Amino acid sequence: MVAEARRRGVAAEVAVLPALPFGDGEFDAVLGNFVLNHVGRPRAALAELRRVLRPGGRLAVTLWGARRGAGQDLLGRALAAGGAVPPSYLPRLDPAEDFARTPDGLAGLLAEAGFTGAGAVELAWDHRTTVEEWWGGAAGGVATVGLVLTAQEAGTVAAVRREYERLCAAFVPQGAENADGEGPLALPHVALLAHAVR
């Protein structure tokens, strides 16, 4: 993605929270799209995002909340039904670092980090994809579900795939079925969107 952004003339950098290689107050706006779900120290990450934001600058973040859409759980349900066991080496968020994954909980976390005017809402939508495309992310090791899938033996992966294909049937839009089973899916998703000012 960085290479593609640079090809299009965007000054893109690779950096890891909570230590960004940018100066204090360097940005007018900061966007964290599903970042807080993937850091072990969300409060430290927010403090760093606040640091690089100029006074009066705006922050917007999205994350997966406590309420989930049925489509979000499709791959997790397939893993469970296929007998997959999460590997013990996967990192777990320290309970002391966790927060309520609700609009109020996220707004409170932003306020705790020193932001003002924090607010958050829950968004729901159908993610449009295909059977193969949705499987491809997990099969490629993307996100926790992908790390769990790629840690399994071949027989378990095959069993998970069979369960996945079976479960996909509930998400095929009416009239969109096709013979190869690789057709479209409409996966209900729910996420949180929050905003605040430094």
Side-chain angles (χ1 to χ4, degrees):
M1 290 190 301
V2 169
E4 180 62 21
R6 288 176 178 161
R7 189 183 71 73
R8 294 174 183 233
V10 175
E13 300 293 330
V14 175
V16 178
L17 283 167
L20 298 177
F22 306 112
D24 294 354
E26 192 167 331
F27 297 98
D28 295 327
V30 171
L31 170 65
N33 196 28
F34 299 103
V35 170
L36 294 179
N37 294 100
H38 299 287
V39 296
R41 297 170 48 218
R43 287 167 180 79
L46 283 172
E48 182 70 348
L49 294 178
R50 186 177 184 279
R51 180 189 68 76
V52 301
L53 192 60
R54 70 163 172 78
R58 297 190 162 278
L59 170 82
V61 295
T62 56
L63 67 97
W64 302 118
R67 192 170 81 86
R68 298 172 57 83
Q72 282 167 271
D73 290 329
L74 171 60
L75 287 163
R77 289 174 55 214
L79 284 168
V85 176
S88 61
Y89 57 79
L90 284 183
R92 303 281 189 256
L93 184 63
D94 182 333
E97 288 286 345
D98 210 354
F99 58 95
R101 308 298 171 116
T102 63
D104 287 344
L106 180 54
L109 184 69
L110 294 177
E112 181 185 325
F115 290 96
T116 62
V121 296
E122 193 175 72
L123 304 174
W125 74 97
D126 281 352
H127 176 73
R128 302 289 178 160
T129 186
T130 66
V131 172
E132 285 305 316
E133 183 177 59
W134 199 240
W135 175 260
V142 174
T144 300
V145 73
L147 295 175
V148 173
L149 180 64
T150 56
Q152 307 304 308
E153 295 183 2
T156 303
V157 172
V160 170
R161 175 61 193 231
R162 285 191 300 276
E163 292 298 328
Y164 168 76
E165 290 176 358
R166 179 183 65 79
L167 293 167
C168 279
F171 301 103
V172 176
Q174 190 164 357
E177 300 85 0
N178 60 29
D180 62 11
E182 297 181 10
L185 298 175
L187 302 176
H189 276 59
V190 179
L192 300 178
L193 169 64
H195 59 87
V197 176
R198 175 168 193 250

